[in-house]
Amino acid sequence: MNQEEEIKKVIHKLRPYLQRDGGDIEFIKFEDGIVYVQMHGACAGCTMLDATLKDGVEQILIEEVPGVLEVQAI
């Protein structure tokens, strides 16, 4: 399994937690160690977006997928 497939697998596991609060996350691309995602629904304008991305999604991806350095929303 390549890095992109591993990233998508992890994001797929995280989606139900975001969907429960009315949001969602979509993988866009992986480039130079950075995972680019787009947030949808309640997540798109949420004041907790930075915390969700950095303390949640980013930490999990860094731990589970070698080569991931950061997550950015576009």
Side-chain angles (χ1 to χ4, degrees), residues 3 7 30-36 62 67-71:
Q3 286 174 308
I7 291 165
F30 177 61
E31 186 174 292
D32 300 324
I34 301 172
V35 177
Y36 295 91
I62 287 171
V68 171
L69 305 173
E70 186 180 354
V71 174

Side-chain angles (χ1 to χ4, degrees), residues 12-23:
H12 182 73
K13 286 194 287 186
L14 296 173
R15 288 183 71 212
Y17 299 100
L18 297 170
Q19 290 169 341
R20 180 177 58 201
D21 293 328

Side-chain angles (χ1 to χ4, degrees), residues 1-47:
M1 187 178 307
N2 68 32
Q3 286 174 308
E4 192 171 303
E5 290 171 342
E6 290 182 49
I7 291 165
K8 288 178 181 178
K9 182 178 170 186
V10 172
I11 287 175
H12 182 73
K13 286 194 287 186
L14 296 173
R15 288 183 71 212
Y17 299 100
L18 297 170
Q19 290 169 341
R20 180 177 58 201
D21 293 328
D24 206 351
I25 186 170
E26 176 187 1
F27 171 82
I28 302 298
K29 65 179 178 177
F30 177 61
E31 186 174 292
D32 300 324
I34 301 172
V35 177
Y36 295 91
V37 298
Q38 185 165 15
M39 305 306 288
H40 298 284
C43 290
C46 179
T47 57

